[in-house]
């Protein structure tokens, strides 16, 4: 073997040995760095560590991270992953620009487990985790969560608050530094993409929220097959409750958000949507009236928006081709009475709990009981201290016999006749309301039923119809007029308030002189 070849071989061996020694040294430095920089409340472990100096790659297998101490709303965070890989680690940046640059950081098949803090956490200072002190800026070109699982439990791990079967996440241009890491959100990022499959979360003791899939990026949110439903059957719920409570079954095939952004300031979250669309939602509500009535005051919607734990501003909300069925079961042998709205289309503007002079506006069109055309315009200011509102609307081409399905079991009355046109305007506040109404109708009559609802109380029906104008005495345009005056039952819903206003107006039209004031 020639001397040149020997020297080349020796140099190659030295280079290989030097490279292996450098990798060994680098591995020791990484281990030392983790021992020094990982905070005391964080336990970081792994099965194996491999390093490629040539490519700037670092890989941990069978990673386990446990973080104790209060982290926002969590008191314990556990992360297990098949692999944590770092690719494209820049030595130039760390040596000469005093920053850490990583091209790609991937967490493969992570299982994230969060445990919330108990309501009484004792000494706040004792529960605060030690802050992470950085000396350098950290920049990650792409951060990837691949096929992750998420579970959030209550403080004693008895109830799973949120479960996600699979999450895939990609964040671009992730940055943190000595100042950013101490903020409410300890990093910033650019574009992102999130895929979620099978989201499941209880909403209190009686309801559960499920979502089949969710796709989120910088501009849109698409959620498919949303279900919000009572976890018990109607009969089971009635056995478990003492006071009246709605049994709910809501299904939304598609929810879409355009142009959304979020801002976290001073531990407060601000949510902003340009447009929110709900496509073909179907809502069924059932109430067992045999339970005790709850006499606690129900706040109106403006006050409910004020009490949200975050700020929200949605420019426009659209509901397309929805359906609502409300059913009441009175404690008698009759079947439950149902009130339905089909082909429901709603437009809402300025849905916000941020103080503004602009009112929240709602425009609604629907078919009532599969027959009449119903329209409603409703507006109110969320921060009005008197909770004032203005509602106007109308109903046309409605055969009143269609209401009998609801009136017979609930009000023991039965109607006949047709409402050709009905228009109303109501203004009010939290306590009282006034308004006016006009109606064009034909052959309107009602019957009072007996207790069993299988026969007519002829005398009461006859006396009642003596005071009801059949619609023949009208003005030149065919209308009779009436006034509205009502007092809110404060432990009942706003829609009960609307109903008693309309009820008073209808009575005024049917039994008054029918003339316009």
């Amino acid at each position: 073997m020639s001397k040149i070849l020997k020297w080349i071989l020796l140099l190659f061996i030295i280079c290989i040995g030097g490279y292996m020694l450098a990798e060994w040294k680098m591995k020791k430095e990484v281990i030392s760095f983790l021992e020094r920089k990982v905070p005391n409340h964080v336990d970081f472990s792994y099965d194996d560590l491999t390093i490629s100096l040539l490519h700037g790659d670092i890989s941990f297998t069978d990673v386990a991270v446990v973080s104790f101490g209060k982290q926002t709303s969590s008191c314990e965070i556990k992360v297990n992953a098949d692999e944590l890989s770092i690719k494209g680690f820049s030595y130039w940046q760390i040596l000469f620009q005093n920053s850490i640059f990583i091209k790609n950081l991937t967490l493969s098949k992570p299982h994230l487990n969060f445990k919330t803090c108990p309501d009484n956490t004792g000494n706040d200072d004792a529960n605060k985790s030690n802050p992470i002190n950085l000396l350098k800026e950290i920049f990650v070109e792409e951060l990837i969560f691949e096929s992750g699982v998420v579970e959030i439990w209550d403080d004693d791990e008895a109830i799973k608050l949120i479960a996600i079967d699979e999450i895939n996440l990609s964040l671009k241009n992730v940055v943190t530094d000595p100042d950013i890491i101490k903020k409410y959100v300890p990093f910033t990022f650019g574009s992102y993409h999130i895929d979620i499959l099978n989201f499941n979360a209880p909403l209190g003791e009686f309801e559960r929220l499920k979502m089949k899939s969710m796709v989120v990026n910088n501009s849109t949110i698409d959620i498919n097959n949303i279900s919000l439903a009572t976890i018990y059957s109607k009969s089971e719920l009635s056995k478990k409750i003492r006071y009246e409570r709605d049994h709910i079954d809501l299904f939304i095939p598609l929810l879409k958000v355009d142009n959304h952004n979020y801002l976290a300031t001073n531990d407060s979250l601000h949510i902003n949507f340009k447009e929110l669309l709900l496509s073909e939602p179907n809502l069924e509500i059932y109430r067992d009236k045999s339970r005790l009535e709850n006499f606690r005051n129900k706040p109106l919607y403006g006050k409910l928006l004020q009490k949200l734990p975050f700020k929200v501003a949605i420019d426009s909300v659209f509901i397309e081709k929805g359906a609502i069925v409300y059913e009441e079961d009175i404690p008698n042998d009759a079947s439950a009475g149902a009130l339905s709205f089909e082909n429901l289309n709603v437009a809402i503007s300025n849905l916000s709990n941020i103080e503004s002079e602009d009112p929240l506006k709602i425009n609604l069109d629907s078919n009532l009981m599969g027959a009449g055309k119903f329209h409603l315009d409703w507006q109110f200011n969320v921060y009005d201290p008197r909770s004032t509102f203005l509602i106007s609307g109308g109903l046309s081409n409605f055969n009143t016999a269609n209401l009998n399905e609801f009136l017979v079991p609930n009000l023991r009355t039965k109607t006949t006749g047709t409402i050709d046109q009905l228009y109303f305007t109501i203004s009010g506040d939290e306590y009282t309301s006034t308004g006016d109404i006009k109606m064009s109708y034909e052959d309107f009559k009602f019957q009072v039923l007996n207790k069993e609802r299988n026969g007519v109380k002829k005398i009461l029906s006859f006396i009642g119809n003596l005071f009801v104008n059949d619609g023949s005495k009208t003005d030149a345009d065919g209308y009779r007029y009436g006034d509205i005056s009502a007092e809110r039952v404060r432990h009942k819903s706003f829609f009960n308030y609307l109903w008693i206003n309309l009820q008073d107006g209808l009575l005024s039209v049917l039994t008054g002189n029918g003339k316009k004031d």
Side-chain angles (χ1 to χ4, degrees):
M1 184 181 294
S2 65
K3 288 185 177 181
I4 295 177
L5 189 57
K6 289 180 180 179
W7 280 107
I8 292 174
L9 183 59
L10 179 61
L11 183 61
F12 178 75
I13 293 172
I14 291 173
C15 288
I16 293 297
Y19 179 78
M20 293 176 66
L21 181 63
E23 280 197 347
W24 176 83
K25 180 65 175 175
M26 185 64 177
K27 184 181 289 189
K28 297 286 286 185
E29 287 297 323
V30 169
I31 294 171
S32 176
F33 176 83
L34 292 173
E35 290 176 348
R36 288 183 289 108
K37 292 299 183 180
V38 172
N40 295 332
H41 65 281
V42 177
D43 182 16
F44 180 86
S45 63
Y46 54 90
D47 185 58
D48 190 30
L49 168 63
T50 59
I51 292 177
S52 170
L53 285 178
L54 189 62
H55 299 96
D57 296 346
I58 302 173
S59 176
F60 300 89
T61 59
D62 293 330
V63 177
V65 181
V66 180
S67 176
F68 299 98
K70 187 172 176 57
Q71 319 290 321
T72 62
S73 62
S74 299
C75 278
E76 182 179 298
I77 301 173
K78 296 179 182 178
V79 181
N80 294 280
D82 287 1
E83 183 181 34
L84 171 62
S85 66
I86 298 171
K87 295 183 178 180
F89 183 86
S90 173
Y91 306 108
W92 178 268
Q93 296 271 1
I94 196 169
L95 291 174
F96 298 104
Q97 296 189 11
N98 198 35
S99 63
I100 297 173
F101 176 88
I102 297 170
K103 189 171 183 63
N104 179 282
L105 191 154
T106 301
L107 200 58
S108 298
K109 295 184 178 180
H111 189 136
L112 285 73
N113 188 302
F114 300 86
K115 187 172 78 173
T116 60
C117 296
D119 293 334
N120 183 14
T121 55
N123 188 337
D124 288 340
D125 293 334
N127 284 282
K128 290 180 180 177
S129 59
N130 297 325
I132 299 176
N133 295 313
L134 291 180
L135 299 178
K136 299 178 176 64
E137 179 189 58
I138 299 176
F139 181 89
V140 181
E141 192 170 296
E142 184 174 20
L143 172 65
I144 296 174
F145 275 37
E146 186 178 73
S147 300
V149 175
V150 177
E151 294 178 351
I152 300 178
W153 295 81
D154 67 345
D155 58 280
D156 58 3
E157 294 188 274
I159 300 174
K160 190 182 291 187
L161 302 177
I162 292 177
I164 298 173
D165 286 356
E166 183 175 336
I167 178 170
N168 293 281
L169 177 148
S170 171
L171 301 180
K172 299 290 185 66
N173 302 326
V174 181
V175 179
T176 189
D177 61 25
D179 295 324
I180 295 175
I181 202 167
K182 296 176 183 178
K183 295 182 178 180
Y184 183 76
V185 179
F187 57 88
T188 63
F189 53 90
S191 63
Y192 62 93
H193 187 94
I194 306 172
D195 281 309
I196 291 175
L197 291 177
N198 296 327
F199 176 97
N200 194 325
L203 300 179
E205 181 182 353
F206 297 100
E207 287 80 37
R208 181 173 293 276
L209 173 65
K210 295 181 181 180
M211 294 182 287
K212 182 67 176 176
S213 66
M214 179 192 302
V215 178
V216 185
N217 56 43
N218 290 72
S219 59
T220 62
I221 301 174
D222 290 281
I223 308 176
N224 292 294
N225 296 342
I226 304 169
S227 170
L228 194 166
T230 303
I231 60 177
Y232 303 106
S233 69
K234 295 173 183 178
S235 58
E236 288 173 336
L237 179 66
S238 294
K239 293 176 183 178
K240 290 181 175 291
I241 59 175
R242 184 181 180 189
Y243 294 95
E244 290 180 10
R245 182 183 182 89
D246 290 334
H247 183 282
I248 299 172
D249 189 357
L250 170 65
F251 180 74
I252 306 173
L254 173 65
L255 184 151
K256 186 178 180 65
V257 175
D258 283 329
N259 195 359
H260 60 93
N261 62 77
Y262 312 88
L263 179 66
T265 56
N266 300 322
D267 292 349
S268 177
L269 179 63
H270 292 245
I271 300 173
N272 301 282
F273 294 165
K274 183 71 175 177
E275 183 177 302
L276 171 63
L277 169 67
L278 289 79
S279 180
E280 300 184 24
N282 186 80
L283 174 61
E284 295 181 7
I285 303 173
Y286 168 87
R287 174 162 289 209
D288 183 356
K289 301 294 286 185
S290 67
R291 304 294 90 188
L292 295 176
E293 191 169 358
N294 193 329
F295 289 96
R296 287 186 298 179
N297 178 36
K298 284 188 176 180
L300 297 182
Y301 291 106
K303 285 187 168 57
L304 289 176
L305 282 169
Q306 290 180 43
K307 292 179 180 179
L308 287 177
F310 53 86
K311 295 295 183 182
V312 61
I314 306 176
D315 290 353
S316 301
V317 179
F318 298 101
I319 299 174
E320 294 183 348
K321 298 179 180 179
I324 298 175
V325 176
Y326 176 74
E327 193 175 22
E328 279 190 359
D329 198 356
I330 304 296
N332 53 44
D333 295 331
S335 61
L339 189 66
S340 65
F341 296 86
E342 299 87 11
N343 195 27
L344 178 70
N345 293 283
V346 182
I348 304 173
S349 61
N350 194 36
L351 178 57
S352 171
N353 61 359
I354 297 172
E355 290 197 53
S356 169
E357 294 182 358
D358 297 326
L360 189 158
K361 295 183 178 180
I362 301 170
N363 304 108
L364 179 152
D365 288 285
S366 175
N367 294 336
L368 174 60
M369 302 297 288
K373 302 294 183 182
F374 180 68
H375 176 77
L376 188 74
D377 293 317
W378 174 16
Q379 68 177 51
F380 60 91
N381 192 302
V382 171
Y383 279 91
D384 183 346
R386 295 176 54 237
S387 297
T388 59
F389 63 88
L390 177 65
I391 289 182
S392 62
L395 178 65
S396 63
N397 301 321
F398 185 66
N399 186 337
T400 60
N402 288 288
L403 276 177
N404 288 333
E405 183 180 343
F406 184 76
L407 296 177
V408 170
N410 294 292
L411 301 179
R412 281 176 34 188
T413 59
K414 193 173 184 178
T415 65
T416 59
T418 300
I419 296 176
D420 297 322
Q421 297 286 344
L422 180 150
Y423 299 100
F424 62 89
T425 300
I426 304 167
S427 62
D429 56 27
E430 191 172 3
Y431 302 98
T432 60
S433 59
T434 58
D436 53 69
I437 186 171
K438 69 176 183 178
M439 186 166 68
S440 169
Y441 61 97
E442 298 176 7
D443 299 324
F444 187 92
K445 292 182 180 181
F446 73 90
Q447 297 173 323
V448 180
L449 304 180
N450 60 25
K451 185 176 181 181
E452 290 72 27
R453 292 162 175 79
N454 57 10
V456 176
K457 289 188 175 182
K458 295 182 180 180
I459 296 177
L460 286 177
S461 298
F462 175 75
I463 294 173
N465 284 309
L466 286 177
F467 296 96
V468 172
N469 188 288
D470 63 2
S472 60
K473 297 179 180 180
T474 64
D475 67 1
D477 296 321
Y479 288 99
R480 287 179 56 80
Y481 297 82
D483 296 319
I484 295 173
S485 179
E487 184 174 338
R488 183 186 171 217
V489 182
R490 298 188 68 205
H491 66 272
K492 293 190 176 183
S493 70
F494 179 81
F495 294 102
N496 172 268
Y497 195 13
L498 176 61
W499 168 248
I500 61 177
N501 274 273
L502 293 176
Q503 192 178 47
D504 185 79
L506 287 170
L507 185 63
S508 176
V509 168
L510 296 172
T511 63
N513 61 25
K515 295 181 179 180
K516 187 176 182 180
D517 293 335

